[in-house]
Amino acid sequence: MTPAVLAAGLTLLAGAAAALALRTNRARAWAAVGSQAAATALVLSAAVPILLGAPPEAVQWSWPYPFETIRVHLDALGAFFLAWSLPMTLLGTVYAAGYLKPYFDAGRDGGPHFALLNVTALSFVMVYTVENALVFLLGWEIAAVAAWLLVIWDYKNQKIRFAGFNYLVSTHVGMFFLVAAFMVMHSQTGSFDFSAFSGFLRTPGALRNVTFVLLVTSFGLKSAFFPFHTWLPRAHSAAPAHVSALMSGVIHKAGLFALLRFLLLIGRPEEWMGWYLIAFSGLSALLGVLYTSSQRDLKRLLGYSSTENVGIAGVGFGLGVLGLCWGQPTLVLLGFTGGVLHLFNHALFKCLLFYAAGAVYLSTHSIDIERLGGLARRMPKTAGFFLVGGLAISGLPPLNGFVSELIIYAGLLVGAAHGGRARVLLVCAAGLLAFVGAVGALSMARAFGVTFLGRPRDPQVHPKTDAPAPLAAPMALHAAGVVLVGLWPPAGLAFVRETVALFIALAPPASGTLPDIGSLLVPVAAASWLLVGLVAALWALGRRARAAAAEHVTWGCGYTAPNARMQYTGASFSAQFTSIFEAVLPQLRREELPRGYFPPDGRLATHHVDAVETRMFQLLGDGEDLVERAVGRVPDEPRYSFAAGLAALAAIIGLILFANGTGP
Amino acid sequence: MTPAFLLAHLSVLLAAPILLVGVVNRTKAVWAGRRGVPLLQAAYDLRRLMGKRTVYSSVSTLFVPAAPAVALATALVSGLLVPLVGPRAPLSFPFDFVLFAYVWGLGRMALMLGALDTGSSFEGMGASREATYSALIEPALFVAAGTLAAAAGRGDFAGLLRFRPEDASTALVWGGCAVALFVNLQVESARIPVDDPATHLELTMIHEVMVLDHGGPDLAAIQYAAAVKMTVGAALLAALLDPVGPSAAPLAAAAARLALILAVGVAVGTVESLIARLKLRAVPEYAFLALVAAFVALLASTVRPGGLE
């Protein structure tokens, strides 16, 4: 089966070459889509048996220095990630062909873009299968550079170039940490092979702790955990919709993959690692979701919600780690099942939401929710898809987000039985997740309600058509996945079972069998079906009343001349909420109030900025003077990103020196 | 689960809301020195609304007509997850309270989208408040339920609500969770001091303002759903406070539980009569009170060793 993976890699390369060589954009698109479809089929032929329980496969070559041995190892973890990453990239490429059509009609050459999409898929094949640090880094770097080049599709716009550059620098700051961790491990083992690393990672010690922190920092940057998320909202709002979707839903899941891979190598972690992951992830979930509540750029909002969702998945992983060191297989099962299923669910609904946002942009040329409104009438298909994604991302039943969140809650509450302090922390974490879920619902009600409901706010926005077929088809498939996992949770559980089994094997149950999560979810599925059935029955009951209904203008509470500009805006919807959390949601406010008896125009503009970005760059400066300049110049001054990189280097060196001084 | 139990549960779930609304209103009338409307007035109101014609806003799409169906369905499904007539609920499994909270969340989402669907700034304001306050009260419910689950060693709603105090620290757990559940009931079912279901001043309302453009059978469904939700919230508290042991005769236990649910209604009406509605700015602090109570209960629950098996 491993040859199938290699063949898939070569097919992707050939497709990329063809996309560059062919003459018309139609042919280039077909080359990319065709080669990716073939590669997907090849990879699935290898991955599906492993996900069904076949033993993992490995081949090994000896290469000259510095690679030494390169081991291609397809186990359940890699197979799981490949099994959805490649099909979703394929759907993204199909979407690209429709989304970029206006550019193609204007004569733009789409070859490099399609080739880069192929190369992105190739990087998944490398990162998810090769167990050699150097090849891993190579794949990691290919993914980063390809994502950067994909983001700056509209490179003539200075803002987009800056967003891309910001991403490039940030992702390489993460690379520093990764290289440092690999160097530590290489120096200790004299090898680049992951199985050799495992020998070092299995022995507790200060150097292992430092390596763990370096790895989590690097993977956290890759997956946009707080406070390493600052590149993300900007990059997501600048990139074409399918690139945002793939970055958020698929490409940056590589960070979580790597985290899981190294947790497997560590074997039996220490307790602080679990708490560290839970704290780090809980903070990401909380701050990510708080930022979603105030954004007016739809794609930026979705970008922040990635920080939230990787945080939720990370809480699950942290629980699993706690289960590993406490020797509680039930907790391992619940934590890793919840976390792994959530990251898959997130890929399903986040791509769906970005695709819907892209369809809105294609039709209206705006993703500023304050200028939109009433799109449900003009774009019913897109509105429906966005609604499905929005409900799922809010974790509401009967959709897939609820299933994975329920499993994570179950893990938190099972873990709460461990003891006094653990109980306080884990029950508080459950409360935190509940808050995150409710704020996520607020953000999605706001985003959907303001964009798609009510009346059009800006007469200058003219929605053209609903999503054309190349955009609608990927959305339909993603929505189908969202509904399937929601209404039939065993499908999702079966998909992640073998991956989770790898972790359970690290702390096998002493006696008896593990609880079956499926039996936990049967009543949930039954309740979901009951809910759907009741809604349908009540809807059918109201048919006659609806048929007899009259139509009238919206009740204006006695005011007879309301207009579309008087509708509740996104800013007003979240105003009270953001005022409660002002400390982390700073607001820039510019106002000119009307004065006198016959006032001329008054003005009010509010804008929510990223507190971390502004504050972090503030801290980097020395003294008030620099702070003042930095705040004003951060948006167009990349030097500070370099400064962040240098500071990271200094921190790494300090950590290693510290560990060598006190370590074994 | 016998058919008789299911029948009893369903009939209480469907009928008690009418009675509970009547009890709350009668309590308020007594405090105000009035005779008050008949106990079953809510049923007459619903019948009157059912006979009326619905009017839809010309701006609205599917969300205004769909909101009542989803709101009622979610309220009814949540009613199957809590014990109403005895120690058990018809639909009970570990961590069912997560489903409970998220099913309520879905009903809320439907009402908010229905409100935004009309393009009315007043209804948008109501939706915004609903989203804000529900986000603030949600952690309290989870911390309280999680604490009870850990303290009672049970993950299901019916089981964890059977937790009873044995000494000072468990009394604190029990009392803290009861306070959290009571505040949760007030916030979720739009009662004073958080929201005033009787006022018709749009600027001060939350729930009522979201349904300004609903009428006829749709409004009937929403009002009935709100009453069901209040009953379910009161039933949670009643199950936690119920002094009748699990070994009592089923009929007596059911009667006692129903009486206790109505007694919670009296408590709600009493608070409503004696306290003024809070300023909207102070509502977050009131919701925070529930979280603090739940947190105190959580800390108290760690005093004694014990937990889930």
Side-chain angles (χ1 to χ4, degrees):
Chain A
M1 306 251 179
T2 331
V5 174
L6 298 177
L10 291 176
T11 314
L12 288 169
L13 263 186
L20 287 175
L22 287 168
R23 277 309 178 76
T24 63
N25 280 320
R26 173 178 285 269
R28 292 168 186 141
W30 276 113
V33 169
S35 60
Q36 284 194 34
T40 303
L42 283 167
V43 162
L44 285 181
S45 76
V48 168
I50 291 177
L51 289 177
L52 291 176
E57 306 239 342
V59 270
Q60 186 166 320
W61 299 284
S62 294
W63 278 52
Y65 181 83
F67 288 94
E68 299 146 9
T69 53
I70 294 182
R71 218 153 46 86
V72 177
H73 178 222
L74 188 62
D75 65 351
L77 180 63
F80 167 73
F81 274 84
L82 281 178
W84 54 268
S85 295
L86 285 193
M88 285 189 189
T89 312
L90 172 63
L91 289 179
T93 310
V94 172
Y95 186 95
Y99 184 79
L100 299 178
K101 193 166 173 296
Y103 294 91
F104 294 158
D105 291 345
R108 179 86 188 263
D109 176 359
H113 196 80
F114 287 117
L116 284 168
L117 286 168
N118 262 28
V119 167
T120 304
L122 177 68
S123 76
F124 296 143
V125 175
M126 287 171 75
V127 170
Y128 295 158
T129 61
V130 180
E131 299 220 328
N132 176 296
L134 289 179
V135 182
F136 184 90
L137 278 179
L138 197 63
W140 199 258
E141 182 66 12
I142 289 175
V145 173
W148 165 57
L149 290 171
L150 286 169
V151 165
I152 56 165
W153 162 260
D154 209 356
Y155 62 89
K156 286 185 181 149
N157 182 335
Q158 193 272 336
K159 273 192 173 157
I160 288 177
R161 283 202 308 275
F162 173 72
F165 191 67
N166 195 331
Y167 167 69
L168 192 66
V169 171
S170 294
T171 189
H172 283 91
V173 173
M175 191 86 148
F176 291 164
F177 288 94
L178 188 58
V179 170
F182 281 172
M183 277 157 62
V184 170
M185 287 188 275
H186 182 70
S187 69
Q188 296 296 310
T189 61
S191 163
F192 283 116
D193 195 79
F194 281 2
S195 51
F197 284 180
S198 179
F200 160 69
L201 287 170
R202 275 168 196 270
T203 22
L207 205 54
R208 174 174 92 153
N209 294 347
V210 170
T211 314
F212 178 78
V213 171
L214 288 175
L215 287 172
V216 170
T217 308
S218 170
F219 303 149
L221 249 161
K222 186 78 178 173
S223 292
F225 275 85
F226 179 88
F228 310 125
H229 67 279
T230 50
W231 56 267
L232 160 141
R234 199 170 266 140
H236 281 312
S237 80
H242 56 280
V243 177
S244 308
L246 290 179
M247 274 172 75
S248 172
V250 187
I251 300 176
H252 294 126
K253 292 298 183 328
L256 293 177
F257 164 83
L259 178 62
L260 290 171
R261 168 65 70 212
F262 278 89
L263 285 176
L264 276 179
L265 295 180
I266 286 174
R268 182 151 295 211
E270 284 165 59
E271 191 171 335
W272 71 267
M273 295 178 179
W275 290 117
Y276 179 69
L277 273 181
I278 290 180
F280 189 45
S281 308
L283 195 67
S284 282
L286 176 66
L287 286 148
V289 81
L290 284 178
Y291 282 119
T292 62
S293 69
S294 60
Q295 301 305 317
R296 58 184 288 178
D297 178 322
L298 198 52
K299 281 164 74 190
R300 219 176 143 97
L301 185 156
L302 295 174
Y304 276 118
S305 119
S306 298
T307 298
E308 169 208 345
N309 280 286
V310 291
I312 295 173
V315 168
F317 298 159
L319 274 174
V321 168
L322 285 181
L324 284 175
C325 47
W326 291 342
Q328 279 194 9
T330 313
L331 199 51
V332 178
L333 176 72
L334 289 171
F336 282 111
T337 307
V340 172
L341 188 58
H342 193 75
L343 73 87
F344 170 63
N345 284 341
H346 177 242
L348 279 176
F349 49 63
K350 183 50 67 64
C351 290
L352 175 60
L353 286 167
F354 267 120
Y355 290 155
V360 168
Y361 181 74
L362 199 63
S363 172
T364 64
H365 291 289
S366 175
I367 41 169
D368 179 357
I369 62 172
E370 310 289 28
R371 293 183 61 206
L372 300 171
L375 286 180
R377 279 174 181 271
R378 306 296 297 273
M379 311 178 64
K381 266 190 290 178
T382 307
F385 288 133
F386 195 96
L387 179 70
V388 169
L391 292 179
I393 206 168
S394 313
L396 294 174
L399 298 173
N400 64 350
F402 176 71
V403 175
S404 43
E405 289 199 26
L406 174 72
I407 299 173
I408 293 176
Y409 278 118
L412 285 169
L413 295 164
V414 165
H418 186 73
R421 209 170 35 166
R423 176 188 294 180
V424 173
L425 291 171
L426 292 180
V427 171
C428 284
L432 181 92
L433 277 194
F435 179 69
V436 167
V439 180
L442 178 152
S443 299
M444 282 301 144
R446 171 181 176 272
F448 182 82
V450 174
T451 309
F452 290 97
L453 302 180
R455 285 199 279 160
R457 287 184 170 70
D458 188 340
Q460 287 168 334
V461 171
H462 304 286
K464 288 201 284 278
T465 52
D466 206 347
L471 274 64
M475 286 197 266
L477 284 170
H478 275 272
V482 165
V483 174
L484 173 74
V485 177
L487 284 178
W488 197 47
L493 289 183
F495 191 36
V496 304
R497 192 194 314 116
E498 288 302 316
T499 310
V500 176
L502 293 177
F503 290 93
I504 293 176
L506 296 176
S511 63
T513 50
L514 280 171
D516 179 17
I517 304 188
S519 66
L520 170 73
L521 291 177
V522 167
V524 175
S528 299
W529 282 99
L530 183 66
L531 190 65
V532 172
L534 258 179
V535 170
L538 289 168
W539 178 256
L541 269 179
R543 195 166 44 107
R544 198 166 343 135
R546 281 197 302 279
E551 199 178 275
H552 202 266
V553 294
T554 298
W555 166 237
C557 299
Y559 185 68
T560 52
N563 65 39
R565 297 280 292 164
M566 289 179 194
Q567 292 177 96
Y568 231 46
T569 59
S572 41
F573 191 89
S574 57
Q576 193 186 7
F577 184 80
T578 49
S579 72
I580 299 173
F581 294 94
E582 213 180 348
V584 282
L585 298 170
Q587 190 189 49
L588 293 182
R589 193 181 169 91
R590 279 193 302 274
E591 58 184 11
E592 278 174 47
L593 298 177
R595 285 165 198 278
Y597 293 111
F598 300 101
D601 284 353
R603 239 175 232 98
L604 170 67
T606 59
H607 182 61
H608 285 274
V609 291
D610 190 315
V612 180
E613 196 176 41
T614 34
R615 303 238 162 97
M616 191 164 70
F617 286 117
Q618 277 174 12
L619 288 177
L620 289 177
D622 53 357
E624 234 177 329
D625 177 35
L626 192 62
V627 171
E628 225 165 12
R629 273 188 294 141
V631 176
R633 289 166 61 177
V634 164
D636 43 38
E637 186 57 89
R639 266 188 306 170
Y640 295 104
S641 301
F642 284 122
L646 289 177
L649 265 183
I652 293 167
I653 294 167
L655 273 173
I656 293 172
L657 288 177
F658 166 77
N660 275 340
T662 59
Chain B
M1 187 171 62
T2 59
F5 164 71
L6 192 61
L7 197 67
H9 187 96
L10 285 179
S11 38
V12 169
L13 178 60
L14 295 176
I18 305 285
L19 201 58
L20 187 68
V21 172
V23 166
V24 173
N25 287 337
R26 178 60 62 87
T27 310
K28 287 168 69 176
V30 168
W31 277 104
R34 292 182 281 113
R35 277 182 56 208
V37 294
L39 272 179
L40 298 182
Q41 182 61 42
Y44 307 142
D45 286 345
L46 291 182
R47 204 183 57 193
R48 175 174 52 82
L49 283 172
M50 288 305 287
K52 290 198 171 196
R53 190 171 62 156
T54 314
V55 179
Y56 290 126
S57 156
S58 50
V59 178
S60 67
T61 56
L62 275 179
F63 292 88
V64 168
V70 178
L72 187 52
T74 52
L76 290 174
V77 168
S78 76
L80 295 177
L81 293 163
V82 299
L84 280 177
V85 291
R88 288 175 304 134
L91 196 59
S92 189
F93 53 92
F95 314 113
D96 51 3
F97 62 87
V98 180
L99 178 67
F100 174 85
Y102 278 84
V103 163
W104 270 17
L106 181 65
R108 219 158 31 215
M109 184 68 124
L111 284 181
M112 290 193 286
L113 293 182
L116 289 168
D117 196 16
T118 60
S120 148
S121 49
F122 293 102
E123 294 186 44
M125 190 183 324
S128 156
R129 287 174 186 163
E130 170 80 340
T132 304
Y133 300 142
S134 61
L136 295 174
I137 195 69
E138 196 97 333
L141 176 65
F142 272 78
V143 173
T147 303
L148 285 174
R154 294 285 300 262
D156 57 317
F157 234 153
L160 63 89
L161 289 172
R162 285 204 289 274
F163 177 79
R164 290 293 176 273
E166 286 158 10
D167 51 30
S169 66
T170 47
L172 199 55
V173 174
W174 186 69
C177 291
V179 170
L181 287 182
F182 188 68
V183 175
N184 183 56
L185 165 68
Q186 287 177 324
V187 176
E188 293 279 3
S189 39
R191 310 308 304 192
I192 291 175
V194 176
D195 188 7
D196 188 350
T199 176
H200 281 276
L201 186 60
E202 292 83 356
L203 290 174
T204 59
M205 293 187 297
I206 305 172
H207 289 71
E208 293 294 306
V209 78
M210 287 200 292
V211 299
L212 280 177
D213 266 277
H214 286 90
D218 281 0
L219 186 60
I222 287 182
Q223 290 193 339
Y224 185 55
V228 171
K229 227 179 131 180
M230 177 161 72
T231 310
V232 170
L236 288 181
L237 194 56
L240 185 64
L241 300 178
D242 199 343
V244 179
S247 54
L251 214 56
R257 181 63 60 83
L258 191 58
L260 210 56
I261 291 175
L262 297 180
V264 172
V266 173
V268 167
T270 304
V271 171
E272 209 153 315
S273 304
L274 299 183
I275 302 182
R277 204 179 61 79
L278 290 170
K279 276 187 210 159
L280 282 169
R281 248 176 305 151
V283 171
E285 277 127 62
Y286 192 64
F288 192 63
L289 169 77
L291 184 60
V292 170
F295 189 67
V296 168
L298 173 60
L299 288 182
S301 81
T302 60
V303 170
R304 226 169 41 117
L308 289 175
E309 56 256 68

